[in-house]
Amino acid sequence: MRKNQPLLILGAGLVLLAMAVVVIFLLNGNNDGDPDVSKTVNNNKGPESTGGTLGGPEPIAQMPASKYIPLITEVPGENEVNVSDTFTMNITTFTSSYWFINDQEGQDRAREWKIVDGYQVYYQPVGLSAQVLQGDFFTTIETYLFADVEGARGAYTHLAKKIASLPGTETESPRGLANESAAYSLVQGTIGVSDVVAVYHRFIFRRGNAVVSVQTYGGEPFMAIDAARELAVMIDDKLLGQRPATEPTPIPTPAIIGVDAD
């Protein structure tokens, strides 16, 4: 897996996301009879996200990590699960991910931080590119659980530095969330063959022993960091026990993560 991807095209599932979007746009965008939806954007980026709990307790979230991810019915818009990019992580998918320069670094950090579980979900608009050009967005969420708060602190610090250092990254300044949080954006390319500029937003946070990443991809005229933060608030509420945490319908995946701390 390539480790030098630009900000926010991150992880095993996200590489496929970018490839899939390009193919979809080529298929849908080359129809001369299609309307030029790029001329219809209205610069409506929605309300500012100000809710959620800043600071507060540092609980030890229990496995599985998947139960803290928003269900498809809780995500804005009409979406579907991209099954190939939705999975329970195993040690290989974690240590070979965008987090690390190489697998050895991943193995070392996984033991140091004592990671115990991880889950990624990828939601895509049912209408794909056409829906994105009307204001909807792709969503990728990763949730990682560690054996203790100390390990999660180390993992969060590493992830924040990793994302912030990638070329083209801009730091966003929304209201904070949880015990630690940070937000980033990357404006890159356009939505398919339209002239609508594309943007990635990512909101990461730590609550107790959990580290969470929420990424959105959509049209720049429609998107702000607030969409990612609102989903992060929902996850944090689940970690705090303020919102029901329901495990999603199982999808066949590799065995869950487990790293010997010795």
Side-chain angles (χ1 to χ4, degrees), residues 232-255:
V233 169
M234 188 181 302
I235 298 166
D236 192 40
D237 285 348
K238 294 187 179 191
L239 289 164
L240 288 171
Q242 298 174 356
R243 187 182 184 107
T246 305
E247 191 172 359
T249 303
I251 296 173
T253 59

Side-chain angles (χ1 to χ4, degrees), residues 2-205:
R2 293 178 293 177
K3 306 299 175 93
N4 60 348
Q5 303 168 78
L7 168 68
L8 306 174
I9 307 180
L10 300 176
L14 303 187
V15 174
L16 295 178
L17 180 156
M19 295 172 62
V21 170
V22 170
V23 172
I24 290 160
F25 293 149
L26 289 176
L27 290 176
N28 292 343
N30 288 334
N31 185 341
D32 292 337
D34 287 345
D36 183 6
V37 293
S38 66
K39 305 300 184 183
T40 66
V41 294
N42 61 8
N43 295 294
N44 179 15
K45 297 190 178 186
E48 181 180 1
S49 174
T50 58
T53 303
L54 177 59
E58 299 192 83
I60 299 298
Q62 301 301 307
M63 295 168 58
S66 60
K67 70 180 181 178
Y68 305 106
I69 296 233
L71 301 175
I72 195 167
T73 54
E74 297 175 310
V75 177
E78 186 179 2
N79 297 282
E80 60 188 7
V81 177
N82 183 309
V83 176
S84 64
D85 289 335
T86 298
F87 51 87
T88 299
M89 295 193 182
N90 58 29
I91 189 61
T92 299
T93 59
F94 180 68
T95 62
S96 65
S97 73
Y98 68 91
W99 282 53
F100 309 110
I101 297 173
N102 53 45
D103 186 69
Q104 186 58 57
E105 182 192 14
Q107 292 281 349
D108 293 344
R109 297 291 81 77
R111 290 187 175 88
E112 175 187 347
W113 301 331
K114 295 177 285 188
I115 188 167
V116 295
D117 198 17
Y119 191 80
Q120 174 179 295
V121 65
Y122 169 24
Y123 292 127
Q124 61 188 25
V126 173
L128 300 172
S129 61
Q131 206 165 316
V132 170
L133 288 167
Q134 295 301 320
D136 285 344
F137 50 88
F138 291 87
T139 306
T140 305
I141 303 172
E142 303 159 61
T143 299
Y144 304 91
L145 301 182
F146 300 85
D148 53 39
V149 171
E150 182 180 1
R153 285 196 188 108
Y156 170 83
T157 299
H158 174 92
L159 179 60
K161 289 180 179 178
K162 180 75 173 181
I163 296 175
S165 68
L166 292 170
T169 303
E170 296 290 339
T171 300
E172 299 281 333
S173 301
R175 182 174 184 266
L177 182 70
N179 305 123
E180 302 177 84
S181 64
Y184 310 92
S185 63
L186 173 68
V187 174
Q188 187 177 73
T190 60
I191 303 296
V193 296
S194 77
D195 59 6
V196 176
V197 175
V199 63
Y200 297 86
H201 287 98
R202 180 177 288 259
F203 191 98
I204 65 172
F205 72 91

